[in-house]
Amino acid sequence: DAEITQSPRHKITETGRQVTLACHQTWNHNNMFWYRQDLGHGLRLIHYSYGVHDTNKGEVSDGYSVSRSNTEDLPLTLESAASSQTSVYFCASSETTGVAGEKLFFGSGTQLSVL
Amino acid sequence: SQKIEQNSEALNIQEGKTATLTCNYTNYSPAYLQWYRQDPGRGPVFLLLIRENEKEKRKERLKVTFDTTLKQSLFHITASQPADSATYLCALPSSGTYKYIFGTGTRLKVLA
């Protein structure tokens, strides 16, 4: 069965370190997204991609970067981790059908703690 | 800016009753709206989509309404069961793209 997987499930790092969270989908979806989820804020969009070599900033992109070298993967990099980036990170994907309303398929999330 | 509001307080109901969750939005006229379910430690899972020309949509025990005049969607679970306990999120498309804005979610607890 097609799926979307995130790794690691849990990560503890120190302030200032570079961290990369992996996201891999086997749906062959063009669209991929990174969200962070915090109490009181819900899901907020960090970065997104509509295809290979395409990347776009979301509403909370400062301090994060992504790259899309193939259809299956969209790794999220925290260039210099800060305590404010402690959160649960979700990757999602969707297909492009030409009909508005494509649903998102989410991974199980990565719990990141920055100490 | 676009804003979505869901009741952040948890909703507790007795098993067998109908649960009703609310999603309000402002500064926005979406062509459709989605509802997701999220269990603890898991990612959201898509439940239903309703378009602006559909006043009501049903799927098994789930019913969603969409009132574009009130700028509100209601999500109903009839004959609720403890297994329905979860957080429910509404999501709206962001300005004609494939990305979505999510509400903060409402946590539902169905008591046996």
Side-chain angles (χ1 to χ4, degrees):
Chain A
D1 286 346
E3 61 180 358
I4 179 166
T5 55
Q6 293 184 235
S7 61
R9 284 282 279 151
H10 300 89
K11 175 76 177 178
I12 299 174
T13 191
E14 295 177 345
T15 301
R17 289 191 179 268
Q18 185 180 78
V19 176
T20 296
L21 308 182
C23 176
H24 179 81
Q25 53 100 0
T26 58
W27 295 99
N28 200 34
H29 287 164
N30 286 328
N31 310 323
M32 295 185 72
F33 309 85
W34 275 104
Y35 289 88
R36 60 177 288 176
Q37 188 172 40
D38 305 284
L39 277 174
H41 289 282
L43 286 160
R44 291 183 290 174
L45 185 63
I46 305 171
H47 281 286
Y48 58 101
S49 168
Y50 291 149
V52 177
H53 303 309
D54 175 74
T55 60
N56 306 279
K57 294 181 179 180
E59 62 177 309
V60 290
S61 61
D62 287 349
Y64 303 94
S65 64
V66 294
S67 62
R68 186 93 180 267
S69 59
N70 58 52
T71 300
E72 295 80 17
D73 299 288
L74 187 70
L76 177 71
T77 298
L78 286 69
E79 293 136 14
S80 177
S83 57
S84 60
Q85 294 176 310
T86 292
S87 185
V88 180
Y89 291 85
F90 287 101
C91 180
S93 70
S94 69
E95 61 180 329
T96 305
T97 64
V99 177
E102 290 86 355
K103 58 187 176 184
L104 295 176
F105 294 82
F106 283 85
S108 295
T110 294
Q111 171 71 61
L112 176 67
S113 298
V114 183
L115 305 178
Chain B
S1 63
Q2 300 163 343
K3 191 174 180 182
I4 304 173
E5 290 185 353
Q6 294 185 257
N7 191 345
S8 58
E9 293 192 15
L11 176 64
N12 293 334
I13 64 166
Q14 285 297 129
E15 183 176 8
K17 301 292 186 182
T18 296
T20 298
L21 286 66
T22 304
C23 176
N24 295 300
Y25 56 92
T26 57
N27 301 324
Y28 202 26
S29 296
Y32 56 91
L33 181 148
Q34 298 180 342
W35 283 89
Y36 289 78
R37 168 181 173 144
Q38 185 175 22
D39 292 289
R42 307 296 297 273
V45 175
F46 172 82
L47 294 175
L48 280 168
L49 174 148
I50 186 166
R51 301 188 186 278
E52 60 181 339
N53 61 346
E54 298 173 316
K55 298 301 180 187
E56 181 180 297
K57 195 84 167 275
R58 292 176 184 263
K59 179 182 177 182
E60 298 173 352
R61 293 184 295 109
L62 308 180
K63 185 179 84 171
V64 173
T65 63
F66 192 12
D67 189 324
T68 55
T69 300
L70 291 179
K71 293 187 181 294
Q72 180 182 81
S73 175
L74 298 179
F75 178 83
H76 306 273
I77 305 176
T78 58
S80 60
Q81 304 166 358
D84 295 325
S85 299
T87 297
Y88 292 87
L89 308 168
C90 68
L92 283 80
S94 175
S95 302
T97 65
Y98 296 109
K99 55 190 173 85
Y100 295 89
I101 300 171
F102 282 82
T104 53
T106 298
R107 191 173 60 180
L108 172 67
K109 186 170 184 179
V110 181
L111 306 170

